[in-house]
């Protein structure tokens, strides 16, 4: 066959060849996707699985959510730094909440200390899904020396990163083989018994395991990778580290100072900060070596700690001083401080780090601090003695739990 070497024809052949190559490449890619479709889909699913999936609303609840009734007219949607809290609900029931904690997946747990002997599981819209009894038969979990039924006293809790597990601390245990209940003074004629951490499955809402910890455990925090849970023991004056796979304490670290309480863990899970409430200091704990060192002194009675989402700042509520401090998370230097209400206790932070919320126990108020300029931009009344607080991210609401047996819910998604 004679090939025409005219420049025009040569150019045409080159263009045709280029088009043919492109077509072949497209076909190969398409066929590869068809053949390897499962593999490609699996990779996509794996990436999405890194973010916890929001749970569906339960089919049945013990008590329906009260109607949402904004206390004032709301405006447009806004980020936490620009929005305003508006009271929308008051939740009541068989609750005496010491703390309230929301997960990223749509669970809210209220820990009912002391004599209600229960944990209340709620939905993000305020319905009571189930009241979980704290009564357990410790022998069912292989624990000896405590026959029959024992009861706890839920005080604080932490969700696992995937939201599938709730770890609940019990201020004291009641039943055969236990000393009289623990007390904040850490004294008693018969001493104070060690207590237990409960592992609650958030799907079945049942206690699935128990872990023995120290005396009068208070705060609980889970590492970001889910491998560890940290517990501060008020009367043992130490920090227990629980291996979640083994379901047992693997390390106990003495804390230099009276009454360790709040815990905050850095995003890389290498360092934990612990508030020593019987002093004016917060200590730094190296979670690899167990080394404890003084870190920051911010005022009387540091109680609750938060780490900013980027890990650069540590926030401390100072119960005795009536302040919240912002501290450099590397150096321990106090950067800014703001006066809030009387006896600031628990705090919460918005997911973007734009706002901090603090319950003022002595003032019966909640204060909102804008982190950009570290100013109190809003203070609202709550029920008496607000002791627990959380930010519920699926609906952008702030829940404030009070000892009297109620939770006030504020919407913080819009301007006013």
């Amino acid at each position: 066959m004679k090939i025409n070497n005219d420049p025009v024809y040569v150019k045409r052949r080159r263009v045709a060849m280029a088009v043919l190559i492109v077509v072949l490449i497209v076909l190969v890619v398409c066929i590869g996707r068809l053949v390897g479709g499962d593999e490609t889909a699996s990779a996509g699913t794996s990436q999405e699985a890194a973010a916890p999936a929001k749970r569906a609303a339960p089919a049945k609840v013990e008590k329906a959510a009260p109607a949402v009734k904004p206390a004032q007219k709301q405006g447009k949607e806004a980020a936490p730094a620009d929005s305003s809290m508006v009271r929308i609900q008051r939740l009541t029931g068989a609750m005496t909440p010491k703390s309230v904690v929301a997960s990223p997946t749509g669970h809210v747990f209220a820990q009912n200390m002391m004599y209600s002997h229960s944990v209340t599981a709620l939905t993000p819209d305020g319905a009571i899904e189930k009241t979980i009894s704290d009564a357990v038969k410790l022998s069912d979990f292989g624990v000896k020396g405590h026959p029959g039924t024992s009861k706890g006293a839920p005080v604080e809790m932490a969700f696992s990163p995937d939201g599938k597990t709730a770890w609940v601390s019990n201020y004291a245990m009641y039943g055969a083989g236990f000393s009289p209940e623990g007390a904040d003074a850490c004294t008693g004629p018969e001493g104070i018994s060690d207590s237990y951490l409960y592992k609650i499955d958030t799907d079945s809402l049942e206690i699935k395991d128990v872990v023995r910890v120290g005396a009068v455990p208070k705060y609980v925090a889970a590492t970001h990778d889910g491998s560890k849970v940290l517990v501060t023991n008020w009367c043992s004056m130490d920090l227990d580290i629980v291996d979640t796979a083994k379901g047992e304490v693997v390390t106990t670290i003495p804390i230099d100072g009276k009454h360790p309480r709040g815990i905050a863990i850095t995003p890389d899970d290498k360092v934990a900060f612990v508030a020593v409430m019987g002093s004016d200091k917060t200590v730094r704990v190296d979670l690899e070596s167990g080394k404890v060192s003084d870190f920051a002194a911010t005022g009387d009675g540091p109680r609750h700690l938060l780490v900013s989402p980027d890990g650069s700042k540590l926030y401390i509520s100072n119960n005795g001083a009536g302040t919240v401090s912002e501290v450099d998370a590397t150096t321990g230097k106090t950067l800014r401080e703001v006066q809030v209400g009387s006896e600031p206790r628990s705090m919460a932070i918005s997911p973007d780090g734009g706002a901090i919320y603090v319950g003022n126990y002595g003032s019966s108020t909640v204060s909102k601090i804008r982190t950009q300029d570290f100013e109190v931009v809003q203070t609202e009344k709550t029920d008496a003695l607000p002791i627990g607080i959380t930010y519920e991210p699926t609906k952008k609401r702030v829940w404030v739990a009070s000892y009297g047996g109620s939770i006030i819910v504020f919407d913080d998604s819009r301007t006013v």
Side-chain angles (χ1 to χ4, degrees), residues 54-55 103-107 124-125 391-397:
K54 292 181 177 64
R55 65 189 298 244
S103 78
T105 56
H107 292 89
D125 64 358
Y391 184 96
E392 201 292 302
T394 68
K395 291 187 176 291
K396 301 179 181 179
R397 295 175 179 178

Side-chain angles (χ1 to χ4, degrees), residues 275-290:
V276 185
M277 196 170 174
S279 70
D280 66 352
K281 71 179 182 180
T282 295
V283 299
R284 180 185 186 277
V285 182
D286 186 307
L287 294 179
E288 293 180 352
S289 67

